[in-house]
Amino acid sequence: MALFKKRTVGKPGEWYYCLEHQKVEEGPDCPGKDRFGPYASRTEAEHAMQTARERNLEWENDPKWHDASPTGSADGDRDD
């Protein structure tokens, strides 16, 4: 047993979705690299994966973030 256990960052009363255990947790149970959050409520944390999918879809379809040139070439090469 370690003498000094490194505590995870967060506050009790905040809700997180643990990616490793695939469950909702109150307070900072798992390391930050393995969780989404904090969320204000348990319900928000329960929907964390759906929220992430929706945000990813919005990002993928946002024309401001596409790297493709107007001609459709993604590498930026032009036929000059």
Side-chain angles (χ1 to χ4, degrees), residues 63-70 73-76:
K64 294 184 289 187
W65 295 104
H66 285 283
D67 291 336
S69 67
S73 173
D75 59 7

mmCIF file with all atom_site columns, all heavy atoms in Angstrom, residues 63-70 73-76:
data_model
loop_
_atom_site.group_PDB
_atom_site.id
_atom_site.type_symbol
_atom_site.label_atom_id
_atom_site.label_alt_id
_atom_site.label_comp_id
_atom_site.label_asym_id
_atom_site.label_entity_id
_atom_site.label_seq_id
_atom_site.pdbx_PDB_ins_code
_atom_site.Cartn_x
_atom_site.Cartn_y
_atom_site.Cartn_z
_atom_site.occupancy
_atom_site.B_iso_or_equiv
_atom_site.pdbx_formal_charge
_atom_site.auth_seq_id
_atom_site.auth_comp_id
_atom_site.auth_asym_id
_atom_site.auth_atom_id
_atom_site.pdbx_PDB_model_num
ATOM 1  N N   . PRO A 1 63 ? -18.465 23.152 -41.716 1.00 0.00 ? 63 PRO A N   1
ATOM 2  C CA  . PRO A 1 63 ? -17.631 23.530 -42.860 1.00 0.00 ? 63 PRO A CA  1
ATOM 3  C C   . PRO A 1 63 ? -16.398 24.355 -42.475 1.00 0.00 ? 63 PRO A C   1
ATOM 4  O O   . PRO A 1 63 ? -15.420 24.375 -43.210 1.00 0.00 ? 63 PRO A O   1
ATOM 5  C CB  . PRO A 1 63 ? -18.573 24.348 -43.742 1.00 0.00 ? 63 PRO A CB  1
ATOM 6  C CG  . PRO A 1 63 ? -19.715 24.730 -42.883 1.00 0.00 ? 63 PRO A CG  1
ATOM 7  C CD  . PRO A 1 63 ? -19.795 23.727 -41.777 1.00 0.00 ? 63 PRO A CD  1
ATOM 8  N N   . LYS A 1 64 ? -16.412 25.000 -41.316 1.00 0.00 ? 64 LYS A N   1
ATOM 9  C CA  . LYS A 1 64 ? -15.249 25.778 -40.889 1.00 0.00 ? 64 LYS A CA  1
ATOM 10 C C   . LYS A 1 64 ? -14.069 24.893 -40.518 1.00 0.00 ? 64 LYS A C   1
ATOM 11 O O   . LYS A 1 64 ? -12.944 25.355 -40.475 1.00 0.00 ? 64 LYS A O   1
ATOM 12 C CB  . LYS A 1 64 ? -15.616 26.644 -39.684 1.00 0.00 ? 64 LYS A CB  1
ATOM 13 C CG  . LYS A 1 64 ? -16.634 27.723 -39.990 1.00 0.00 ? 64 LYS A CG  1
ATOM 14 C CD  . LYS A 1 64 ? -16.874 28.586 -38.784 1.00 0.00 ? 64 LYS A CD  1
ATOM 15 C CE  . LYS A 1 64 ? -17.637 27.784 -37.753 1.00 0.00 ? 64 LYS A CE  1
ATOM 16 N NZ  . LYS A 1 64 ? -18.074 28.544 -36.592 1.00 0.00 ? 64 LYS A NZ  1
ATOM 17 N N   . TRP A 1 65 ? -14.294 23.609 -40.267 1.00 0.00 ? 65 TRP A N   1
ATOM 18 C CA  . TRP A 1 65 ? -13.235 22.731 -39.783 1.00 0.00 ? 65 TRP A CA  1
ATOM 19 C C   . TRP A 1 65 ? -12.766 21.714 -40.809 1.00 0.00 ? 65 TRP A C   1
ATOM 20 O O   . TRP A 1 65 ? -11.928 20.879 -40.511 1.00 0.00 ? 65 TRP A O   1
ATOM 21 C CB  . TRP A 1 65 ? -13.679 22.014 -38.513 1.00 0.00 ? 65 TRP A CB  1
ATOM 22 C CG  . TRP A 1 65 ? -13.894 22.981 -37.415 1.00 0.00 ? 65 TRP A CG  1
ATOM 23 C CD1 . TRP A 1 65 ? -15.073 23.427 -36.940 1.00 0.00 ? 65 TRP A CD1 1
ATOM 24 C CD2 . TRP A 1 65 ? -12.886 23.670 -36.675 1.00 0.00 ? 65 TRP A CD2 1
ATOM 25 N NE1 . TRP A 1 65 ? -14.877 24.347 -35.936 1.00 0.00 ? 65 TRP A NE1 1
ATOM 26 C CE2 . TRP A 1 65 ? -13.534 24.510 -35.758 1.00 0.00 ? 65 TRP A CE2 1
ATOM 27 C CE3 . TRP A 1 65 ? -11.497 23.657 -36.691 1.00 0.00 ? 65 TRP A CE3 1
ATOM 28 C CZ2 . TRP A 1 65 ? -12.850 25.327 -34.861 1.00 0.00 ? 65 TRP A CZ2 1
ATOM 29 C CZ3 . TRP A 1 65 ? -10.811 24.462 -35.789 1.00 0.00 ? 65 TRP A CZ3 1
ATOM 30 C CH2 . TRP A 1 65 ? -11.489 25.285 -34.897 1.00 0.00 ? 65 TRP A CH2 1
ATOM 31 N N   . HIS A 1 66 ? -13.276 21.776 -42.015 1.00 0.00 ? 66 HIS A N   1
ATOM 32 C CA  . HIS A 1 66 ? -12.828 20.839 -43.046 1.00 0.00 ? 66 HIS A CA  1
ATOM 33 C C   . HIS A 1 66 ? -11.512 21.311 -43.637 1.00 0.00 ? 66 HIS A C   1
ATOM 34 O O   . HIS A 1 66 ? -11.327 22.489 -43.916 1.00 0.00 ? 66 HIS A O   1
ATOM 35 C CB  . HIS A 1 66 ? -13.879 20.706 -44.158 1.00 0.00 ? 66 HIS A CB  1
ATOM 36 C CG  . HIS A 1 66 ? -15.042 19.880 -43.736 1.00 0.00 ? 66 HIS A CG  1
ATOM 37 N ND1 . HIS A 1 66 ? -15.001 18.518 -43.672 1.00 0.00 ? 66 HIS A ND1 1
ATOM 38 C CD2 . HIS A 1 66 ? -16.277 20.220 -43.324 1.00 0.00 ? 66 HIS A CD2 1
ATOM 39 C CE1 . HIS A 1 66 ? -16.155 18.060 -43.255 1.00 0.00 ? 66 HIS A CE1 1
ATOM 40 N NE2 . HIS A 1 66 ? -16.954 19.080 -43.036 1.00 0.00 ? 66 HIS A NE2 1
ATOM 41 N N   . ASP A 1 67 ? -10.591 20.373 -43.855 1.00 0.00 ? 67 ASP A N   1
ATOM 42 C CA  . ASP A 1 67 ? -9.289  20.696 -44.423 1.00 0.00 ? 67 ASP A CA  1
ATOM 43 C C   . ASP A 1 67 ? -9.281  20.642 -45.946 1.00 0.00 ? 67 ASP A C   1
ATOM 44 O O   . ASP A 1 67 ? -8.297  20.996 -46.568 1.00 0.00 ? 67 ASP A O   1
ATOM 45 C CB  . ASP A 1 67 ? -8.224  19.721 -43.901 1.00 0.00 ? 67 ASP A CB  1
ATOM 46 C CG  . ASP A 1 67 ? -7.960  19.933 -42.418 1.00 0.00 ? 67 ASP A CG  1
ATOM 47 O OD1 . ASP A 1 67 ? -8.217  21.047 -41.929 1.00 0.00 ? 67 ASP A OD1 1
ATOM 48 O OD2 . ASP A 1 67 ? -7.507  18.990 -41.768 1.00 0.00 ? 67 ASP A OD2 1
ATOM 49 N N   . ALA A 1 68 ? -10.350 20.175 -46.546 1.00 0.00 ? 68 ALA A N   1
ATOM 50 C CA  . ALA A 1 68 ? -10.395 20.029 -47.996 1.00 0.00 ? 68 ALA A CA  1
ATOM 51 C C   . ALA A 1 68 ? -10.416 21.390 -48.670 1.00 0.00 ? 68 ALA A C   1
ATOM 52 O O   . ALA A 1 68 ? -11.038 22.336 -48.207 1.00 0.00 ? 68 ALA A O   1
ATOM 53 C CB  . ALA A 1 68 ? -11.627 19.234 -48.405 1.00 0.00 ? 68 ALA A CB  1
ATOM 54 N N   . SER A 1 69 ? -9.719  21.484 -49.789 1.00 0.00 ? 69 SER A N   1
ATOM 55 C CA  . SER A 1 69 ? -9.728  22.714 -50.572 1.00 0.00 ? 69 SER A CA  1
ATOM 56 C C   . SER A 1 69 ? -11.041 22.800 -51.339 1.00 0.00 ? 69 SER A C   1
ATOM 57 O O   . SER A 1 69 ? -11.761 21.815 -51.465 1.00 0.00 ? 69 SER A O   1
ATOM 58 C CB  . SER A 1 69 ? -8.542  22.719 -51.536 1.00 0.00 ? 69 SER A CB  1
ATOM 59 O OG  . SER A 1 69 ? -8.707  21.717 -52.508 1.00 0.00 ? 69 SER A OG  1
ATOM 60 N N   . PRO A 1 70 ? -11.361 23.946 -51.917 1.00 0.00 ? 70 PRO A N   1
ATOM 61 C CA  . PRO A 1 70 ? -12.606 24.094 -52.670 1.00 0.00 ? 70 PRO A CA  1
ATOM 62 C C   . PRO A 1 70 ? -12.734 23.111 -53.837 1.00 0.00 ? 70 PRO A C   1
ATOM 63 O O   . PRO A 1 70 ? -13.817 22.778 -54.247 1.00 0.00 ? 70 PRO A O   1
ATOM 64 C CB  . PRO A 1 70 ? -12.567 25.537 -53.183 1.00 0.00 ? 70 PRO A CB  1
ATOM 65 C CG  . PRO A 1 70 ? -11.645 26.241 -52.256 1.00 0.00 ? 70 PRO A CG  1
ATOM 66 C CD  . PRO A 1 70 ? -10.660 25.213 -51.803 1.00 0.00 ? 70 PRO A CD  1
ATOM 67 N N   . SER A 1 73 ? -9.713  18.497 -52.954 1.00 0.00 ? 73 SER A N   1
ATOM 68 C CA  . SER A 1 73 ? -8.472  17.818 -52.593 1.00 0.00 ? 73 SER A CA  1
ATOM 69 C C   . SER A 1 73 ? -8.160  18.077 -51.124 1.00 0.00 ? 73 SER A C   1
ATOM 70 O O   . SER A 1 73 ? -8.072  19.210 -50.692 1.00 0.00 ? 73 SER A O   1
ATOM 71 C CB  . SER A 1 73 ? -7.329  18.346 -53.468 1.00 0.00 ? 73 SER A CB  1
ATOM 72 O OG  . SER A 1 73 ? -6.113  17.811 -53.018 1.00 0.00 ? 73 SER A OG  1
ATOM 73 N N   . ALA A 1 74 ? -7.978  17.021 -50.351 1.00 0.00 ? 74 ALA A N   1
ATOM 74 C CA  . ALA A 1 74 ? -7.740  17.167 -48.926 1.00 0.00 ? 74 ALA A CA  1
ATOM 75 C C   . ALA A 1 74 ? -6.284  17.503 -48.618 1.00 0.00 ? 74 ALA A C   1
ATOM 76 O O   . ALA A 1 74 ? -5.966  18.001 -47.559 1.00 0.00 ? 74 ALA A O   1
ATOM 77 C CB  . ALA A 1 74 ? -8.122  15.878 -48.194 1.00 0.00 ? 74 ALA A CB  1
ATOM 78 N N   . ASP A 1 75 ? -5.353  17.248 -49.561 1.00 0.00 ? 75 ASP A N   1
ATOM 79 C CA  . ASP A 1 75 ? -3.947  17.487 -49.271 1.00 0.00 ? 75 ASP A CA  1
ATOM 80 C C   . ASP A 1 75 ? -3.490  18.889 -49.640 1.00 0.00 ? 75 ASP A C   1
ATOM 81 O O   . ASP A 1 75 ? -2.366  19.270 -49.373 1.00 0.00 ? 75 ASP A O   1
ATOM 82 C CB  . ASP A 1 75 ? -3.066  16.440 -49.952 1.00 0.00 ? 75 ASP A CB  1
ATOM 83 C CG  . ASP A 1 75 ? -3.220  16.425 -51.464 1.00 0.00 ? 75 ASP A CG  1
ATOM 84 O OD1 . ASP A 1 75 ? -3.905  17.321 -51.997 1.00 0.00 ? 75 ASP A OD1 1
ATOM 85 O OD2 . ASP A 1 75 ? -2.654  15.525 -52.102 1.00 0.00 ? 75 ASP A OD2 1
ATOM 86 N N   . GLY A 1 76 ? -4.345  19.673 -50.247 1.00 0.00 ? 76 GLY A N   1
ATOM 87 C CA  . GLY A 1 76 ? -4.013  21.054 -50.566 1.00 0.00 ? 76 GLY A CA  1
ATOM 88 C C   . GLY A 1 76 ? -3.235  21.229 -51.842 1.00 0.00 ? 76 GLY A C   1
ATOM 89 O O   . GLY A 1 76 ? -2.878  22.338 -52.196 1.00 0.00 ? 76 GLY A O   1
#
